[in-house]
Short mmCIF file of all heavy atoms in Angstrom, two decimals:
data_model
loop_
_atom_site.label_atom_id
_atom_site.label_comp_id
_atom_site.label_asym_id
_atom_site.label_seq_id
_atom_site.Cartn_x
_atom_site.Cartn_y
_atom_site.Cartn_z
N MET A 1 -16.67 7.01 51.82
CA MET A 1 -16.09 7.71 50.71
C MET A 1 -15.74 6.70 49.63
O MET A 1 -15.35 5.58 49.92
CB MET A 1 -14.85 8.46 51.21
CG MET A 1 -13.73 8.53 50.25
SD MET A 1 -12.31 9.43 50.79
CE MET A 1 -13.03 10.74 51.67
N LYS A 2 -15.91 7.12 48.40
CA LYS A 2 -15.59 6.25 47.28
C LYS A 2 -14.07 6.17 47.11
O LYS A 2 -13.35 7.14 47.33
CB LYS A 2 -16.19 6.81 45.98
CG LYS A 2 -17.69 6.83 45.97
CD LYS A 2 -18.20 5.46 45.71
CE LYS A 2 -19.71 5.50 45.57
NZ LYS A 2 -20.28 4.18 45.48
N GLN A 3 -13.60 5.00 46.72
CA GLN A 3 -12.18 4.80 46.50
C GLN A 3 -11.65 5.72 45.40
O GLN A 3 -10.55 6.25 45.52
CB GLN A 3 -11.89 3.34 46.15
CG GLN A 3 -10.41 3.09 45.93
CD GLN A 3 -10.12 1.84 45.15
OE1 GLN A 3 -10.95 1.40 44.37
NE2 GLN A 3 -8.96 1.28 45.33
N THR A 4 -12.45 5.93 44.36
CA THR A 4 -12.00 6.78 43.25
C THR A 4 -11.74 8.20 43.71
O THR A 4 -10.81 8.85 43.25
CB THR A 4 -13.02 6.76 42.10
OG1 THR A 4 -14.30 7.15 42.61
CG2 THR A 4 -13.11 5.39 41.47
N ALA A 5 -12.55 8.71 44.64
CA ALA A 5 -12.35 10.06 45.17
C ALA A 5 -11.05 10.15 45.96
O ALA A 5 -10.31 11.14 45.84
CB ALA A 5 -13.53 10.46 46.04
N LEU A 6 -10.74 9.12 46.73
CA LEU A 6 -9.49 9.11 47.50
C LEU A 6 -8.30 9.05 46.57
O LEU A 6 -7.33 9.79 46.75
CB LEU A 6 -9.48 7.94 48.48
CG LEU A 6 -8.18 7.76 49.28
CD1 LEU A 6 -7.90 8.99 50.14
CD2 LEU A 6 -8.25 6.52 50.14
N LEU A 7 -8.35 8.20 45.56
CA LEU A 7 -7.22 8.07 44.64
C LEU A 7 -7.00 9.36 43.86
O LEU A 7 -5.85 9.76 43.61
CB LEU A 7 -7.45 6.90 43.68
CG LEU A 7 -7.56 5.52 44.33
CD1 LEU A 7 -7.72 4.44 43.28
CD2 LEU A 7 -6.39 5.24 45.24
N LYS A 8 -8.07 10.04 43.49
CA LYS A 8 -7.96 11.32 42.80
C LYS A 8 -7.28 12.34 43.71
O LYS A 8 -6.44 13.12 43.26
CB LYS A 8 -9.36 11.79 42.40
CG LYS A 8 -9.38 13.02 41.55
CD LYS A 8 -10.81 13.33 41.13
CE LYS A 8 -10.89 14.57 40.26
NZ LYS A 8 -12.27 14.87 39.87
N HIS A 9 -7.64 12.33 45.00
CA HIS A 9 -7.03 13.24 45.97
C HIS A 9 -5.53 12.94 46.12
O HIS A 9 -4.71 13.86 46.17
CB HIS A 9 -7.74 13.09 47.32
CG HIS A 9 -7.21 13.96 48.39
ND1 HIS A 9 -7.45 15.31 48.45
CD2 HIS A 9 -6.42 13.67 49.47
CE1 HIS A 9 -6.85 15.82 49.51
NE2 HIS A 9 -6.23 14.84 50.15
N LEU A 10 -5.17 11.67 46.17
CA LEU A 10 -3.76 11.29 46.29
C LEU A 10 -2.97 11.78 45.09
O LEU A 10 -1.87 12.32 45.22
CB LEU A 10 -3.62 9.77 46.45
CG LEU A 10 -4.22 9.15 47.71
CD1 LEU A 10 -4.03 7.64 47.69
CD2 LEU A 10 -3.64 9.76 48.96
N ARG A 11 -3.51 11.58 43.89
CA ARG A 11 -2.83 12.03 42.67
C ARG A 11 -2.67 13.55 42.64
O ARG A 11 -1.66 14.06 42.17
CB ARG A 11 -3.59 11.56 41.43
CG ARG A 11 -3.41 10.10 41.14
CD ARG A 11 -4.01 9.73 39.79
NE ARG A 11 -4.10 8.30 39.67
CZ ARG A 11 -5.21 7.59 39.88
NH1 ARG A 11 -6.35 8.20 40.17
NH2 ARG A 11 -5.20 6.29 39.75
N ARG A 12 -3.69 14.25 43.10
CA ARG A 12 -3.66 15.72 43.11
C ARG A 12 -2.48 16.24 43.92
O ARG A 12 -1.89 17.28 43.59
CB ARG A 12 -4.96 16.27 43.69
CG ARG A 12 -5.05 17.79 43.64
CD ARG A 12 -6.36 18.32 44.20
NE ARG A 12 -7.52 17.69 43.59
CZ ARG A 12 -8.54 17.18 44.27
NH1 ARG A 12 -8.55 17.20 45.59
NH2 ARG A 12 -9.55 16.63 43.64
N TYR A 13 -2.09 15.52 44.98
CA TYR A 13 -0.98 15.95 45.82
C TYR A 13 0.33 15.23 45.48
O TYR A 13 1.25 15.22 46.28
CB TYR A 13 -1.35 15.78 47.30
CG TYR A 13 -2.31 16.84 47.74
CD1 TYR A 13 -3.68 16.60 47.76
CD2 TYR A 13 -1.86 18.11 48.07
CE1 TYR A 13 -4.57 17.59 48.13
CE2 TYR A 13 -2.75 19.11 48.44
CZ TYR A 13 -4.09 18.84 48.47
OH TYR A 13 -4.97 19.84 48.82
N GLY A 14 0.41 14.66 44.29
CA GLY A 14 1.68 14.13 43.79
C GLY A 14 1.99 12.69 44.12
O GLY A 14 3.06 12.20 43.77
N CYS A 15 1.11 12.00 44.81
CA CYS A 15 1.35 10.59 45.12
C CYS A 15 1.14 9.73 43.88
O CYS A 15 0.40 10.10 42.99
CB CYS A 15 0.42 10.13 46.24
SG CYS A 15 0.66 11.02 47.78
N TYR A 16 1.82 8.62 43.83
CA TYR A 16 1.71 7.73 42.68
C TYR A 16 1.60 6.28 43.15
O TYR A 16 1.99 5.93 44.26
CB TYR A 16 2.90 7.89 41.74
CG TYR A 16 4.22 7.46 42.34
CD1 TYR A 16 4.70 6.16 42.17
CD2 TYR A 16 5.00 8.35 43.07
CE1 TYR A 16 5.89 5.76 42.72
CE2 TYR A 16 6.20 7.96 43.62
CZ TYR A 16 6.65 6.66 43.43
OH TYR A 16 7.83 6.26 43.99
N LEU A 17 1.05 5.44 42.26
CA LEU A 17 0.88 4.02 42.54
C LEU A 17 2.23 3.33 42.40
O LEU A 17 2.84 3.36 41.34
CB LEU A 17 -0.13 3.41 41.58
CG LEU A 17 -0.39 1.93 41.71
CD1 LEU A 17 -1.01 1.60 43.05
CD2 LEU A 17 -1.29 1.45 40.59
N LYS A 18 2.69 2.73 43.49
CA LYS A 18 3.98 2.04 43.47
C LYS A 18 3.82 0.62 42.94
O LYS A 18 4.56 0.20 42.06
CB LYS A 18 4.57 2.03 44.88
CG LYS A 18 5.99 1.54 44.94
CD LYS A 18 6.58 1.79 46.30
CE LYS A 18 8.04 1.41 46.32
NZ LYS A 18 8.64 1.71 47.61
N ARG A 19 2.84 -0.11 43.49
CA ARG A 19 2.57 -1.47 43.01
C ARG A 19 1.22 -1.94 43.53
O ARG A 19 0.67 -1.38 44.47
CB ARG A 19 3.66 -2.45 43.41
CG ARG A 19 3.72 -2.78 44.87
CD ARG A 19 4.79 -3.83 45.15
NE ARG A 19 4.90 -4.11 46.56
CZ ARG A 19 4.19 -5.02 47.20
NH1 ARG A 19 3.32 -5.75 46.56
NH2 ARG A 19 4.35 -5.22 48.49
N GLU A 20 0.71 -2.98 42.90
CA GLU A 20 -0.56 -3.60 43.30
C GLU A 20 -0.27 -4.86 44.10
O GLU A 20 0.61 -5.63 43.75
CB GLU A 20 -1.38 -3.98 42.06
CG GLU A 20 -1.83 -2.80 41.24
CD GLU A 20 -3.03 -2.09 41.82
OE1 GLU A 20 -3.71 -2.65 42.69
OE2 GLU A 20 -3.28 -0.96 41.38
N GLY A 21 -1.02 -5.05 45.17
CA GLY A 21 -0.93 -6.27 45.95
C GLY A 21 -2.18 -7.10 45.73
O GLY A 21 -2.97 -6.83 44.81
N ALA A 22 -2.39 -8.10 46.56
CA ALA A 22 -3.56 -8.97 46.41
C ALA A 22 -4.85 -8.23 46.73
O ALA A 22 -5.82 -8.31 45.99
CB ALA A 22 -3.40 -10.19 47.31
N SER A 23 -4.86 -7.49 47.83
CA SER A 23 -6.08 -6.79 48.22
C SER A 23 -5.84 -5.31 48.50
O SER A 23 -6.76 -4.60 48.86
CB SER A 23 -6.69 -7.45 49.46
OG SER A 23 -5.77 -7.38 50.53
N HIS A 24 -4.59 -4.86 48.37
CA HIS A 24 -4.24 -3.47 48.62
C HIS A 24 -3.36 -2.94 47.49
O HIS A 24 -2.69 -3.70 46.81
CB HIS A 24 -3.47 -3.32 49.94
CG HIS A 24 -4.30 -3.55 51.14
ND1 HIS A 24 -4.68 -4.81 51.56
CD2 HIS A 24 -4.84 -2.70 52.03
CE1 HIS A 24 -5.41 -4.71 52.64
NE2 HIS A 24 -5.53 -3.43 52.96
N SER A 25 -3.36 -1.63 47.34
CA SER A 25 -2.46 -0.95 46.42
C SER A 25 -1.51 -0.12 47.25
O SER A 25 -1.92 0.50 48.24
CB SER A 25 -3.24 -0.02 45.48
OG SER A 25 -4.21 -0.74 44.78
N LEU A 26 -0.24 -0.10 46.89
CA LEU A 26 0.73 0.68 47.62
C LEU A 26 0.95 2.01 46.91
O LEU A 26 1.35 2.03 45.74
CB LEU A 26 2.05 -0.07 47.76
CG LEU A 26 2.01 -1.31 48.65
CD1 LEU A 26 3.37 -1.98 48.70
CD2 LEU A 26 1.55 -0.97 50.04
N TRP A 27 0.68 3.10 47.62
CA TRP A 27 0.84 4.45 47.08
C TRP A 27 2.01 5.11 47.78
O TRP A 27 2.21 4.94 48.98
CB TRP A 27 -0.44 5.26 47.30
CG TRP A 27 -1.49 4.87 46.32
CD1 TRP A 27 -2.28 3.75 46.36
CD2 TRP A 27 -1.84 5.55 45.13
NE1 TRP A 27 -3.10 3.72 45.27
CE2 TRP A 27 -2.85 4.82 44.50
CE3 TRP A 27 -1.41 6.73 44.54
CZ2 TRP A 27 -3.43 5.22 43.31
CZ3 TRP A 27 -1.98 7.13 43.35
CH2 TRP A 27 -2.97 6.38 42.75
N CYS A 28 2.78 5.89 47.04
CA CYS A 28 3.99 6.50 47.55
C CYS A 28 3.94 8.02 47.37
O CYS A 28 3.46 8.50 46.34
CB CYS A 28 5.20 5.93 46.82
SG CYS A 28 6.78 6.54 47.45
N ASN A 29 4.43 8.74 48.37
CA ASN A 29 4.59 10.18 48.27
C ASN A 29 6.07 10.43 47.94
O ASN A 29 6.93 10.17 48.78
CB ASN A 29 4.22 10.86 49.60
CG ASN A 29 4.30 12.36 49.52
OD1 ASN A 29 4.87 12.92 48.60
ND2 ASN A 29 3.72 13.02 50.50
N PRO A 30 6.39 10.91 46.74
CA PRO A 30 7.79 11.06 46.34
C PRO A 30 8.54 12.12 47.15
O PRO A 30 9.75 12.06 47.26
CB PRO A 30 7.71 11.44 44.87
CG PRO A 30 6.36 12.01 44.68
CD PRO A 30 5.47 11.33 45.68
N ILE A 31 7.83 13.07 47.73
CA ILE A 31 8.49 14.14 48.49
C ILE A 31 9.02 13.58 49.82
O ILE A 31 10.17 13.82 50.18
CB ILE A 31 7.51 15.31 48.73
CG1 ILE A 31 7.13 15.92 47.39
CG2 ILE A 31 8.12 16.35 49.66
CD1 ILE A 31 5.99 16.91 47.46
N SER A 32 8.18 12.83 50.53
CA SER A 32 8.59 12.30 51.83
C SER A 32 9.14 10.88 51.73
O SER A 32 9.80 10.41 52.65
CB SER A 32 7.42 12.32 52.81
OG SER A 32 6.38 11.49 52.34
N GLY A 33 8.84 10.17 50.65
CA GLY A 33 9.30 8.80 50.48
C GLY A 33 8.48 7.78 51.24
O GLY A 33 8.84 6.62 51.32
N VAL A 34 7.35 8.20 51.80
CA VAL A 34 6.50 7.31 52.59
C VAL A 34 5.60 6.50 51.66
O VAL A 34 5.08 7.01 50.67
CB VAL A 34 5.63 8.14 53.57
CG1 VAL A 34 4.67 7.25 54.33
CG2 VAL A 34 6.50 8.93 54.51
N THR A 35 5.45 5.22 51.96
CA THR A 35 4.56 4.34 51.22
C THR A 35 3.42 3.92 52.14
O THR A 35 3.65 3.58 53.30
CB THR A 35 5.32 3.10 50.72
OG1 THR A 35 6.41 3.53 49.90
CG2 THR A 35 4.42 2.19 49.91
N GLU A 36 2.20 3.92 51.60
CA GLU A 36 1.01 3.58 52.39
C GLU A 36 0.13 2.63 51.60
O GLU A 36 -0.03 2.78 50.39
CB GLU A 36 0.25 4.86 52.74
CG GLU A 36 -0.97 4.65 53.61
CD GLU A 36 -0.63 4.18 55.01
OE1 GLU A 36 0.48 4.48 55.51
OE2 GLU A 36 -1.48 3.52 55.62
N ALA A 37 -0.46 1.65 52.30
CA ALA A 37 -1.37 0.70 51.67
C ALA A 37 -2.78 1.29 51.62
O ALA A 37 -3.27 1.82 52.61
CB ALA A 37 -1.39 -0.61 52.46
N VAL A 38 -3.41 1.18 50.44
CA VAL A 38 -4.78 1.64 50.25
C VAL A 38 -5.61 0.42 49.84
O VAL A 38 -5.30 -0.22 48.83
CB VAL A 38 -4.87 2.73 49.16
CG1 VAL A 38 -6.31 3.15 48.93
CG2 VAL A 38 -4.02 3.93 49.55
N PRO A 39 -6.64 0.06 50.62
CA PRO A 39 -7.44 -1.11 50.27
C PRO A 39 -8.19 -0.90 48.96
O PRO A 39 -8.57 0.21 48.62
CB PRO A 39 -8.41 -1.25 51.44
CG PRO A 39 -8.45 0.07 52.08
CD PRO A 39 -7.14 0.72 51.82
N ARG A 40 -8.39 -1.99 48.23
CA ARG A 40 -9.12 -1.92 46.97
C ARG A 40 -10.57 -2.33 47.20
O ARG A 40 -11.02 -3.38 46.77
CB ARG A 40 -8.46 -2.81 45.93
CG ARG A 40 -7.27 -2.11 45.29
CD ARG A 40 -6.83 -2.83 44.07
NE ARG A 40 -5.82 -3.80 44.49
CZ ARG A 40 -5.59 -4.94 43.88
NH1 ARG A 40 -6.28 -5.28 42.84
NH2 ARG A 40 -4.66 -5.75 44.31
N HIS A 41 -11.30 -1.45 47.90
CA HIS A 41 -12.73 -1.62 48.12
C HIS A 41 -13.43 -0.45 47.45
O HIS A 41 -12.83 0.62 47.29
CB HIS A 41 -13.06 -1.62 49.61
CG HIS A 41 -12.35 -2.68 50.39
ND1 HIS A 41 -12.65 -4.01 50.29
CD2 HIS A 41 -11.34 -2.58 51.29
CE1 HIS A 41 -11.85 -4.69 51.09
NE2 HIS A 41 -11.04 -3.86 51.71
N THR A 42 -14.68 -0.61 47.08
CA THR A 42 -15.40 0.51 46.46
C THR A 42 -15.67 1.60 47.48
O THR A 42 -15.67 2.78 47.12
CB THR A 42 -16.73 0.04 45.83
OG1 THR A 42 -17.50 -0.64 46.82
CG2 THR A 42 -16.48 -0.88 44.66
N GLU A 43 -15.88 1.25 48.73
CA GLU A 43 -16.11 2.22 49.80
C GLU A 43 -14.97 2.11 50.82
O GLU A 43 -14.62 1.01 51.26
CB GLU A 43 -17.44 1.96 50.51
CG GLU A 43 -18.65 2.36 49.72
CD GLU A 43 -18.83 3.86 49.62
OE1 GLU A 43 -18.48 4.59 50.56
OE2 GLU A 43 -19.31 4.30 48.56
N ILE A 44 -14.42 3.25 51.21
CA ILE A 44 -13.38 3.31 52.23
C ILE A 44 -13.90 4.21 53.34
O ILE A 44 -14.40 5.31 53.07
CB ILE A 44 -12.06 3.86 51.65
CG1 ILE A 44 -11.53 2.91 50.57
CG2 ILE A 44 -11.02 4.05 52.74
CD1 ILE A 44 -10.31 3.41 49.84
N LYS A 45 -13.78 3.76 54.57
CA LYS A 45 -14.28 4.54 55.70
C LYS A 45 -13.51 5.85 55.81
O LYS A 45 -12.32 5.92 55.49
CB LYS A 45 -14.15 3.75 56.99
CG LYS A 45 -15.06 2.54 57.02
CD LYS A 45 -15.00 1.84 58.35
CE LYS A 45 -15.96 0.66 58.32
NZ LYS A 45 -16.02 -0.02 59.59
N ASN A 46 -14.23 6.90 56.24
CA ASN A 46 -13.64 8.23 56.32
C ASN A 46 -12.44 8.29 57.27
O ASN A 46 -11.46 8.98 56.99
CB ASN A 46 -14.69 9.26 56.74
CG ASN A 46 -15.71 9.48 55.65
OD1 ASN A 46 -15.45 9.28 54.48
ND2 ASN A 46 -16.89 9.91 56.05
N ARG A 47 -12.52 7.57 58.37
CA ARG A 47 -11.40 7.55 59.32
C ARG A 47 -10.16 6.95 58.69
O ARG A 47 -9.04 7.43 58.91
CB ARG A 47 -11.77 6.76 60.57
CG ARG A 47 -12.71 7.50 61.50
CD ARG A 47 -13.02 6.72 62.74
NE ARG A 47 -11.79 6.43 63.48
CZ ARG A 47 -11.73 5.57 64.47
NH1 ARG A 47 -12.80 4.92 64.85
NH2 ARG A 47 -10.60 5.37 65.11
N LEU A 48 -10.34 5.90 57.90
CA LEU A 48 -9.21 5.26 57.23
C LEU A 48 -8.63 6.18 56.17
O LEU A 48 -7.41 6.30 56.04
CB LEU A 48 -9.63 3.93 56.61
CG LEU A 48 -8.55 3.16 55.85
CD1 LEU A 48 -7.36 2.86 56.77
CD2 LEU A 48 -9.12 1.87 55.29
N ALA A 49 -9.47 6.86 55.41
CA ALA A 49 -9.00 7.79 54.39
C ALA A 49 -8.20 8.92 55.02
O ALA A 49 -7.16 9.33 54.50
CB ALA A 49 -10.18 8.34 53.60
N LYS A 50 -8.67 9.42 56.16
CA LYS A 50 -7.97 10.49 56.87
C LYS A 50 -6.60 10.00 57.34
O LYS A 50 -5.59 10.70 57.22
CB LYS A 50 -8.81 10.96 58.06
CG LYS A 50 -8.22 12.09 58.82
CD LYS A 50 -9.15 12.55 59.92
CE LYS A 50 -8.51 13.70 60.70
NZ LYS A 50 -9.39 14.18 61.76
N LYS A 51 -6.55 8.78 57.85
CA LYS A 51 -5.29 8.19 58.34
C LYS A 51 -4.30 7.98 57.20
O LYS A 51 -3.10 8.23 57.35
CB LYS A 51 -5.60 6.86 59.04
CG LYS A 51 -4.42 6.22 59.68
CD LYS A 51 -3.98 7.00 60.89
CE LYS A 51 -2.87 6.23 61.60
NZ LYS A 51 -2.23 7.04 62.61
N ILE A 52 -4.78 7.55 56.05
CA ILE A 52 -3.92 7.35 54.88
C ILE A 52 -3.30 8.68 54.47
O ILE A 52 -2.10 8.77 54.21
CB ILE A 52 -4.72 6.72 53.71
CG1 ILE A 52 -5.05 5.26 54.04
CG2 ILE A 52 -3.94 6.80 52.41
CD1 ILE A 52 -6.05 4.62 53.11
N CYS A 53 -4.12 9.74 54.43
CA CYS A 53 -3.61 11.06 54.06
C CYS A 53 -2.58 11.56 55.07
O CYS A 53 -1.54 12.11 54.70
CB CYS A 53 -4.76 12.06 53.94
SG CYS A 53 -5.84 11.75 52.53
N GLN A 54 -2.85 11.36 56.35
CA GLN A 54 -1.91 11.80 57.39
C GLN A 54 -0.59 11.06 57.26
O GLN A 54 0.48 11.66 57.37
CB GLN A 54 -2.49 11.55 58.77
CG GLN A 54 -3.57 12.53 59.16
CD GLN A 54 -4.16 12.20 60.53
OE1 GLN A 54 -3.92 11.13 61.09
NE2 GLN A 54 -4.97 13.12 61.04
N ASN A 55 -0.64 9.75 57.04
CA ASN A 55 0.59 8.96 56.92
C ASN A 55 1.41 9.36 55.70
O ASN A 55 2.64 9.32 55.73
CB ASN A 55 0.26 7.46 56.87
CG ASN A 55 -0.22 6.94 58.20
OD1 ASN A 55 -0.09 7.59 59.22
ND2 ASN A 55 -0.81 5.77 58.18
N LEU A 56 0.73 9.74 54.61
CA LEU A 56 1.44 10.17 53.41
C LEU A 56 1.91 11.61 53.49
O LEU A 56 2.68 12.06 52.64
CB LEU A 56 0.56 9.97 52.17
CG LEU A 56 0.36 8.52 51.73
CD1 LEU A 56 -0.70 8.44 50.64
CD2 LEU A 56 1.67 7.93 51.24
N GLY A 57 1.44 12.35 54.49
CA GLY A 57 1.88 13.72 54.67
C GLY A 57 1.20 14.72 53.73
O GLY A 57 1.80 15.71 53.34
N ILE A 58 -0.05 14.44 53.38
CA ILE A 58 -0.81 15.35 52.54
C ILE A 58 -2.04 15.82 53.31
O ILE A 58 -2.43 15.19 54.29
CB ILE A 58 -1.23 14.68 51.20
CG1 ILE A 58 -2.13 13.48 51.42
CG2 ILE A 58 -0.01 14.28 50.40
CD1 ILE A 58 -2.71 12.89 50.16
N PRO A 59 -2.67 16.92 52.87
CA PRO A 59 -3.87 17.40 53.59
C PRO A 59 -5.01 16.38 53.54
O PRO A 59 -5.12 15.61 52.60
CB PRO A 59 -4.26 18.66 52.81
CG PRO A 59 -3.05 19.06 52.06
CD PRO A 59 -2.28 17.81 51.80
N ASP A 60 -5.83 16.43 54.60
CA ASP A 60 -6.99 15.53 54.66
C ASP A 60 -7.97 15.87 53.56
O ASP A 60 -8.09 17.02 53.15
CB ASP A 60 -7.71 15.66 56.00
CG ASP A 60 -6.85 15.17 57.15
OD1 ASP A 60 -5.93 14.39 56.90
OD2 ASP A 60 -7.13 15.56 58.29
N ILE A 61 -8.67 14.86 53.10
CA ILE A 61 -9.69 15.05 52.08
C ILE A 61 -10.93 15.63 52.75
O ILE A 61 -11.29 15.24 53.85
CB ILE A 61 -9.98 13.74 51.34
CG1 ILE A 61 -10.80 13.98 50.12
CG2 ILE A 61 -10.61 12.72 52.24
CD1 ILE A 61 -10.83 12.81 49.16
N LYS A 62 -11.56 16.58 52.12
CA LYS A 62 -12.75 17.25 52.69
C LYS A 62 -13.99 16.58 52.22
O LYS A 62 -14.19 16.18 51.16
CB LYS A 62 -12.78 18.72 52.32
CG LYS A 62 -11.55 19.47 52.80
CD LYS A 62 -11.52 19.59 54.29
CE LYS A 62 -10.30 20.40 54.70
NZ LYS A 62 -9.79 20.16 55.92
#
C-alpha cells in the first residue's frame, strides 16, 4: 500500500501528525489519545498498515 493512501485514511478518521522523527512520523488520534509511529517509506506492508489502524482505534483500510 502506498504511504499517501494510509495517511489520507488516517486524516479521514481525525488523526493528525504530531511530529516528524528521523525515519518515522508520529500520528495521534485525539479521541483516544493514542500515538503511533508510521514509517516514511513509499510502500507500507498491508499487515503493518492494519496494525497501525488497530492501534489508533480506527477502522482498517480496505
Side-chain angles (χ1 to χ4, degrees):
M1 145 178 322
K2 295 283 185 187
Q3 180 200 26
T4 55
L6 176 61
L7 298 182
K8 187 176 180 181
H9 180 75
L10 295 179
R11 285 189 193 100
R12 184 179 307 131
Y13 286 96
C15 298
Y16 66 92
L17 178 64
K18 189 170 185 177
R19 70 177 177 88
E20 295 281 344
S23 61
H24 290 76
S25 303
L26 292 180
W27 283 77
C28 184
N29 184 345
I31 296 169
S32 63
V34 176
T35 302
E36 182 67 26
V38 177
R40 279 194 269 151
H41 302 289
T42 55
E43 286 288 327
I44 296 175
K45 293 185 179 184
N46 291 335
R47 285 182 60 192
L48 179 58
K50 183 177 179 179
K51 185 70 174 169
I52 289 169
C53 290
Q54 285 177 348
N55 289 346
L56 287 171
I58 62 173
D60 294 339
I61 192 165
K62 301 291 183 207

